[in-house]
Amino acid sequence: MSTRPDRPGEDRPSAAERYSRFRAHQEHPMLADFASRQAFALDDFQLRACRELEEGRSVLVAAPTGSGKTIVGEFAVHLALESGRKAFYTTPIKALSNQKFHDLSDRYGPENVGLLTGDNSINGEAPVVVMTTEVLRNMLYAGSRTLETLGFVVMDEVHYLADRMRGAVWEEVIIHLPESVAVASLSATVSNAEEFGEWLGTVRGETTTIVEERRPVPLYQHVIAGRRMYDLFADEEAADPTRDQSHKVNPQLLKLSRDDWARGRMKDRRSPKGSRRPQQGGQRGGAGGAWTPTRAQVVEQLDRAGLLPAIVFIFSRVGCDAAVQQCLEANLRLTSPTEREEIYRFVEERCADLPDEDLQALGYHEFLDGLTRGIAAHHAGMLPKFKECVEELFLRGLCRVVFATETLALGINMPARSVVIEKLSKWNGETHADLSPGEYTQLTGRAGRRGIDVEGHGVVLWQQGLDPASVAGLAATRTYPLRSSFRPSYNMAVNLVHQFGREAARELLESSFAQFQADKAVVGLARQLRKSEDALAGYAEAAACDRGDFMEYAGLRHQLSDTERDLARSRRFDRRQEVVDSLEQLRPGDVIEVPSGRFAGWAVVLDPGLSLTSRGADREGPRPYVLTADRHARRLGLADFATPVGSVSRLKIPRSFNGRNPQSRRDLANALKERTHGFAPPPPGQGGSGPARSGSSRTGRSGMEDTRIEDLRRRLRAHPCHECPDREDHARWAERWFKLDRDSATLRRRIEQRTNTIARRFDRVCEVLTTLGYLEGDGAGLAVTDRGRTLMRIYNEMDLVTAESLRAGLWDGLDASELAAVLSTLVYESRRPDDAATPRLPSSGPVREVLAEMVSTWSDLDALEREHHLDQLHEPDLGFVWAAWRWAEGDELDDILRVTDLSAGDFVRWVKQLLDLADQVADAAGPGALRTTARETAGRLRRGVVAYSSVSS
């Protein structure tokens, strides 16, 4: 073994250290070779994970963002190349796949690395292929020959399997990968990593779970309020996530919060009703400095504090673009003339293939102006090429501040010195929800560049009502649980039945992480149930009586108690209904006796309040508006009417009457007193002369219950245990038995609901598919039909609507542009429900009729799903029809964006998904005119900005 001389000033390793290195090289030569090529020494958790891989085991590595867990994935790639096998590197999003493709190509040479994302297919038979997880899932179902020499699969950002929409794909891949393939699963820190690793072990064989909680770069937390940046915690030890931080909140921040709250209370009392408080934009909240700086002021503060480059998370695309514009208007410049020139050349070169006529529509010149000043946005609405420019320039240190949505936190390698979170809540598609600790950790985890920064900084902007203790709770809670989102789709069902048969498919689904988690919960519930059953036997024994079966006697007592309770409840309901019925008979001018409440006594009805009930404003029955003899005009409720009420006389209500006018109230109250002078109150329960409600059916029911009660009392008195002197002592044990038996029944129901939940859902999916003819047979003999083989090729979320439309020939006879229009409804989803309220459609041709038939097809499927307790499909969304049609017709990008109000990035993203579906339809349709049309559709769509590869050469 060759040795090198010690470098000047370097400590000579001890004999023990030299021997340890020698042993490591002998036992794990691949790792020793790999480690020697790295620019820094590997951390202990990285070494442990790599050793496990070299020894032939799969690994799960759960570590904080920025800790370097991707090194483990890169070592799996190294092992594959050195052993002559293939490695697949999978990611949840195309942007991360593109970035990893560049990284691995730079390291191992472009001839050894391929890329498959749906958008791009580059060198797909290379020994190392980077791909999105959906691509690998499709390869597994298709039985691709590329899998034959596969040795390793890296699943980067594997915690993405919790994603509600796409997470199930991860579990499909993990379950279906050949046993010979080792899996390196890389996850953010999750609190149930051991549980996830245990599941991986059950489906993948030997799997080692390695959890690393320490960040390689310490993270410090701050709050910017006014012109000052406050530390969130009171001491530096708060950067250590393993320490208790509950009592370490900075007292200055707590005082600032109290002062801000007090000022807000005073201002609310002084401000006229309806006046508005100043909003975001640098408005001062008082002398204490608790105000929110503008976005430009935030960047200037970070720059002065030496905390650039920074990522500022704003949970709005519009907000990100507006932030860039605000910084430009403030004339911020974060770059030198030399850097500006370098940025300009880079962007011009990268975007040289963009047609000049599209530059204006894409906002290219504004984008370039911001970047040359070191400022940019990053969100899903941007053109992919623009996002790649931002990512590359940020990594080079030339882009100093990026305003981004949370999508940037999903694994894209853009570490910063500091991360700013503008607000601690975001729109989740349904409502504004507070950030979870896991989301906060994922966002701030970008702060602190390993090998560059000695520390990272997470910053929260002050907002009115901010609670520093809540922020501290988010910052201190470093982990979150991983929950499966797995559920079988129609496409998955036909593929599984085709490959494995129904019974084997059910077994496979029962091995999902979703069922594993449900079963683990069932284990605990079953343990509780066993304890309950043991206790029930003990209670029954303690209640034993030598005179007879005391549990039988206790059962009679329970029946009697339940029947009496039900009868009392029924009578209360009947009485309430009688009150409601009597109130519904009232009319304006009726004089009534209010039987109870604050306003008991004579009153005249001004408004019966029936309209409130009809509008659903009050579900508690009518609320009459009355004037009392004491001149009170009030709206009453059922609480004021313990008994039914009826009119005893009538008064004429003047048309000019105004309940808010004291004179009007006085005059009408005097008239009421004169009318009721000498009146005796009606007998209890008879509210005047209003029509009585027939209670014959109630009386009959009540009589039956009374008879049942008498029968139970007779049987109790006749039971031998009734005269036992220890009867009540026995009864106490029996009562405990009944209470525990109710709790046990609840446990049984919970166990039944959790047991085989995935397989039972699969059964319901198969029932739907059998009804529609995609599957045939029963039980173990279930098989895929010719129609089902068409569905096997459709991986869209609207797979069954697509297959049914194909079967019905709805798209036969459409031209390429019309097919693009109707297919768009199966991929597009409006960001907000009202986005597609009035969709624009082609004014001529068959598109409207075909869309109506597709919606009808979905409606029929939706009804069938409801019969089988499923909810897989959503209504076709018509919001992209016009844009897809016009793009396929050759319209200019600027014209389409101007009319549709779509961003360039969103437009490109939806067209690429439409392209993917068009290719699937061409594949599924088989030889014929529709296949030709679908391929022509794809050709028409693949032009201009859509055709630009998102992978730069």
Side-chain angles (χ1 to χ4, degrees), residues 348-383:
E348 285 278 271
E349 181 182 338
R350 278 294 178 92
C351 299
D353 54 355
L354 295 177
D356 292 340
E357 60 269 21
D358 287 346
L359 296 183
Q360 186 66 34
L362 297 171
Y364 174 76
H365 301 292
E366 295 83 356
F367 169 73
L368 180 57
D369 184 26
L371 263 181
T372 56
R373 297 172 184 234
I375 304 164
H378 188 288
H379 56 73
M382 294 172 61
L383 196 68

Side-chain angles (χ1 to χ4, degrees), residues 215-459:
R215 281 178 51 95
V217 179
L219 179 65
Y220 293 90
Q221 308 279 350
H222 313 278
V223 174
I224 288 182
R227 300 188 184 282
R228 183 174 172 187
M229 183 184 297
Y230 296 83
D231 291 337
L232 176 59
F233 295 107
D235 57 63
E236 293 184 355
E237 291 177 345
D240 181 359
T242 64
R243 297 180 63 90
D244 175 21
Q245 302 169 12
S246 59
H247 62 285
K248 297 179 182 293
V249 181
N250 188 341
Q252 290 179 301
L253 273 179
L254 295 175
K255 181 179 184 302
L256 197 66
S257 178
R258 290 192 298 268
D259 293 347
D260 188 48
W261 179 83
R263 280 193 299 273
R265 286 286 297 255
M266 291 177 62
K267 187 164 186 176
D268 287 342
R269 286 196 291 268
R270 294 172 181 170
S271 299
K273 188 174 181 180
S275 65
R276 300 184 64 179
R277 298 176 62 84
Q279 301 297 313
Q280 153 83 14
Q283 298 296 326
R284 294 181 182 274
W291 52 278
T292 307
T294 66
R295 288 155 174 165
Q297 289 169 339
V298 170
V299 174
E300 288 175 332
Q301 282 202 55
L302 295 173
D303 193 19
R304 287 194 301 270
L307 296 185
L308 296 182
I311 299 171
V312 181
F313 283 108
I314 301 174
F315 304 116
S316 158
R317 300 178 183 182
V318 173
C320 292
D321 293 335
V324 174
Q325 188 59 37
Q326 290 159 14
C327 290
L328 297 183
E329 290 171 356
N331 201 29
L332 279 185
R333 293 184 184 273
L334 306 175
T335 54
S336 67
T338 303
E339 289 171 331
R340 286 196 287 275
E341 183 62 31
E342 183 180 351
I343 294 169
Y344 183 87
R345 285 197 307 269
F346 173 83
V347 176
E348 285 278 271
E349 181 182 338
R350 278 294 178 92
C351 299
D353 54 355
L354 295 177
D356 292 340
E357 60 269 21
D358 287 346
L359 296 183
Q360 186 66 34
L362 297 171
Y364 174 76
H365 301 292
E366 295 83 356
F367 169 73
L368 180 57
D369 184 26
L371 263 181
T372 56
R373 297 172 184 234
I375 304 164
H378 188 288
H379 56 73
M382 294 172 61
L383 196 68
K385 191 175 288 290
F386 285 7
K387 287 194 291 184
E388 291 170 11
C389 287
V390 174
E391 293 161 12
E392 178 65 26
L393 291 172
F394 195 83
L395 285 173
R396 292 190 189 183
L398 294 172
C399 182
R400 300 290 162 70
V401 61
V402 171
F403 297 97
T405 56
E406 70 271 26
T407 53
L408 187 144
L410 285 175
I412 297 174
N413 183 28
M414 280 181 62
R417 181 165 294 167
S418 64
V419 164
V420 180
I421 300 178
E422 188 170 271
K423 289 185 178 179
L424 294 176
S425 66
K426 66 173 184 175
W427 179 257
N428 63 8
E430 299 176 357
T431 184
H432 280 93
D434 292 337
L435 290 183
S436 68
E439 290 170 327
Y440 183 91
T441 300
Q442 186 82 358
L443 296 173
T444 56
R446 294 281 154 208
R449 298 166 297 176
R450 185 170 189 176
I452 301 174
D453 302 316
V454 295
E455 60 193 34
H457 298 267
V459 182

Side-chain angles (χ1 to χ4, degrees), residues 638-716:
L638 287 184
D640 298 292
F641 297 95
T643 57
V645 66
S647 173
V648 298
S649 183
R650 287 190 59 79
L651 270 179
K652 184 175 181 180
I653 310 295
R655 287 189 177 183
S656 60
F657 178 80
N658 183 349
R660 296 183 179 180
N661 186 302
Q663 183 67 39
S664 295
R665 293 199 308 270
R666 185 182 65 187
D667 292 346
L668 188 58
N670 288 339
L672 175 63
K673 288 177 182 178
E674 291 177 11
R675 180 60 57 89
T676 57
H677 181 68
F679 277 19
Q686 299 180 19
S689 58
R693 179 183 175 92
S694 173
S696 59
S697 62
R698 295 174 185 168
T699 303
R701 185 173 68 243
S702 177
M704 292 173 59
E705 293 296 327
D706 286 338
T707 302
R708 175 169 168 74
I709 287 172
E710 284 303 316
D711 178 62
L712 287 169
R713 286 174 176 167
R714 179 185 56 76
R715 292 169 62 189
L716 269 176

Side-chain angles (χ1 to χ4, degrees), residues 69 157-163 186-188 190 410 442 480 482:
K69 53 183 174 287
E157 307 288 332
V158 73
H159 55 272
Y160 202 82
L161 66 77
D163 181 74
L186 312 179
S187 170
V190 292
L410 285 175
Q442 186 82 358
Y480 56 99
L482 186 61

Side-chain angles (χ1 to χ4, degrees), residues 30 77-87 127 149-152:
M30 298 281 195
V77 171
H78 177 80
L79 279 175
L81 290 172
E82 291 296 315
S83 58
R85 289 177 289 174
K86 286 186 176 180
T149 57
L150 183 63
F152 297 88

Side-chain angles (χ1 to χ4, degrees), residues 626-912:
V626 304
L627 177 72
T628 70
D630 295 331
R631 307 179 187 176
H632 293 294
R634 291 289 186 275
R635 192 171 292 282
L636 306 180
L638 287 184
D640 298 292
F641 297 95
T643 57
V645 66
S647 173
V648 298
S649 183
R650 287 190 59 79
L651 270 179
K652 184 175 181 180
I653 310 295
R655 287 189 177 183
S656 60
F657 178 80
N658 183 349
R660 296 183 179 180
N661 186 302
Q663 183 67 39
S664 295
R665 293 199 308 270
R666 185 182 65 187
D667 292 346
L668 188 58
N670 288 339
L672 175 63
K673 288 177 182 178
E674 291 177 11
R675 180 60 57 89
T676 57
H677 181 68
F679 277 19
Q686 299 180 19
S689 58
R693 179 183 175 92
S694 173
S696 59
S697 62
R698 295 174 185 168
T699 303
R701 185 173 68 243
S702 177
M704 292 173 59
E705 293 296 327
D706 286 338
T707 302
R708 175 169 168 74
I709 287 172
E710 284 303 316
D711 178 62
L712 287 169
R713 286 174 176 167
R714 179 185 56 76
R715 292 169 62 189
L716 269 176
R717 288 191 295 269
H719 198 282
C721 293
H722 188 66
E723 300 299 331
C724 176
D726 298 322
R727 182 184 67 191
E728 293 309 310
D729 183 48
H730 297 326
R732 281 191 292 274
W733 286 107
E735 185 58 37
R736 294 178 186 177
W737 187 95
F738 280 106
K739 182 180 183 304
L740 185 57
D741 185 58
R742 287 194 299 270
D743 295 342
S744 298
T746 301
L747 280 175
R748 289 188 192 96
R749 284 195 299 273
R750 291 175 64 188
I751 290 172
E752 289 170 4
Q753 290 168 357
R754 290 172 181 263
T755 303
N756 300 322
T757 52
I758 305 299
R760 280 189 277 124
R761 188 180 185 96
F762 172 72
D763 289 339
R764 296 198 295 272
V765 168
C766 289
E767 288 167 9
V768 169
L769 293 172
T770 302
T771 301
L772 295 172
Y774 292 90
L775 297 173
E776 62 183 3
D778 194 16
L782 195 66
V784 178
T785 64
D786 289 340
R787 189 179 297 176
R789 278 183 273 278
T790 297
L791 180 56
M792 287 170 57
R793 299 180 177 90
I794 301 170
Y795 298 100
N796 180 269
E797 285 184 16
M798 297 284 280
D799 47 13
L800 196 53
V801 178
T802 306
E804 281 292 277
S805 298
L806 271 171
R807 180 188 65 79
L810 298 186
W811 304 328
D812 296 345
L814 296 179
D815 66 28
S817 299
E818 292 165 344
L819 182 61
V822 299
L823 289 182
S824 73
T825 65
L826 303 178
V827 296
Y828 181 73
E829 290 185 53
S830 303
R831 296 190 67 205
R832 294 178 297 275
D834 58 345
D835 283 354
T838 54
R840 186 172 181 179
L841 304 177
S843 56
S844 61
V847 169
R848 289 174 179 267
E849 290 75 14
V850 172
L851 289 176
E853 292 180 24
M854 288 174 63
V855 172
S856 177
T857 297
W858 163 80
S859 181
D860 293 341
L861 292 174
D862 184 57
L864 184 60
E865 282 194 328
R866 286 199 301 271
E867 288 178 21
H868 292 84
H869 307 289
L870 293 169
D871 57 347
Q872 310 272 85
L873 306 168
H874 61 79
E875 184 174 359
D877 193 322
L878 278 60
F880 198 66
V881 168
W882 188 86
W885 176 57
R886 294 314 311 169
W887 183 252
E889 283 288 279
D891 280 16
E892 295 294 330
L893 176 66
D894 189 31
D895 295 337
I896 294 175
L897 296 184
R898 185 171 59 251
V899 174
T900 60
D901 199 30
L902 285 165
S903 69
D906 282 336
F907 175 79
V908 170
R909 181 161 54 91
W910 291 122
V911 173
K912 286 190 173 183

